[in-house]
């Protein structure tokens, strides 16, 4: 397995990117009345996961800062699940689609939780240069 060079190499980043795109596509079918509420909120929270992972990667030299950002990403992933529950309750997603999304975001949350537990392994070595890519 190749070494992780950038945040884009993280499986959790890749998974969240795929799922936020899938969610974007599914939310296109939400009613126009939801454009500035549910649709906007679920898109923002799902996309925020990736942004926070990228921020955490940039701050990984400082374990507390890294953990804080990954914890925020976890919160955004769970917020996404909450918005998905609302979409189900309003009939914008069927049970099967909701289960697929929920399972994916639960898995992303699990990966983020493991990152928090293993935060010290993400710190760069003292002699290494941090990648900006």
């Amino acid at each position: 397995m190749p070494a992780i060079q950038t945040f884009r190499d993280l499986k959790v980043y890749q998974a969240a990117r795929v799922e936020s795109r899938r969610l974007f596509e599914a939310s296109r079918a939400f009613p126009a009345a939801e454009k500035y509420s549910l649709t906007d909120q679920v898109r923002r929270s799902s996309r925020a996961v990736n942004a926070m992972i990228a921020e955490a990667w940039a701050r990984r030299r400082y374990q507390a800062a890294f953990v804080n950002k990954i914890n925020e990403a976890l919160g955004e992933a769970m917020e996404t699940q909450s918005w998905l529950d609302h979409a189900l309750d309003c009939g914008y997603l069927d049970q099967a689609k909701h289960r697929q999304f929920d399972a994916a975001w639960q898995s992303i949350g699990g990966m983020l939780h493991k990152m928090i537990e293993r935060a010290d392994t993400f710190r760069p070595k003292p002699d290494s240069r941090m990648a900006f890519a």
Side-chain angles (χ1 to χ4, degrees), residues 38 42 77-87 89 98 102:
L38 179 61
V42 74
M78 294 177 99
E79 180 182 339
T80 298
Q81 288 180 286
S82 174
W83 291 121
L84 288 167
D85 290 348
H86 288 292
D89 293 346
H98 178 269
D102 192 59

Side-chain angles (χ1 to χ4, degrees), residues 5 21 24 39-40 50 76 89 97-98 103 112 118 123:
Q5 299 295 314
R21 179 63 187 183
F24 172 82
T39 304
D40 185 55
N50 287 79
E76 293 291 340
D89 293 346
K97 185 64 84 175
H98 178 269
L112 292 168
R118 299 175 184 159
R123 292 177 62 188

Side-chain angles (χ1 to χ4, degrees), residues 12-125:
V12 67
Y13 179 87
Q14 295 166 8
R17 188 172 177 192
V18 166
E19 290 306 316
S20 64
R21 179 63 187 183
R22 285 183 61 236
L23 189 47
F24 172 82
E25 291 299 329
S27 69
R28 286 182 169 190
F30 292 1
E34 293 286 6
K35 183 176 182 178
Y36 298 109
S37 52
L38 179 61
T39 304
D40 185 55
Q41 291 292 340
V42 74
R43 287 177 179 178
R44 284 175 184 258
S45 64
S46 67
R47 290 173 177 171
V49 174
N50 287 79
M52 301 221 176
I53 292 169
E55 263 192 89
W57 184 260
R59 297 175 186 202
R60 72 192 188 282
R61 184 173 304 276
Y62 306 101
Q63 188 170 335
F66 176 81
V67 168
N68 182 59
K69 280 296 167 187
I70 295 298
N71 194 47
E72 287 182 31
L74 178 57
E76 293 291 340
M78 294 177 99
E79 180 182 339
T80 298
Q81 288 180 286
S82 174
W83 291 121
L84 288 167
D85 290 348
H86 288 292
L88 174 67
D89 293 346
C90 293
Y92 307 148
L93 292 176
D94 62 29
Q95 285 281 348
K97 185 64 84 175
H98 178 269
R99 272 193 302 276
Q100 289 175 343
F101 278 124
D102 192 59
W105 286 102
Q106 190 67 29
S107 175
I108 290 165
M111 287 187 268
L112 292 168
H113 182 73
K114 284 181 183 175
M115 286 180 77
I116 291 168
E117 288 179 340
R118 299 175 184 159
D120 59 321
T121 66
F122 290 91
R123 292 177 62 188
K125 298 195 181 0

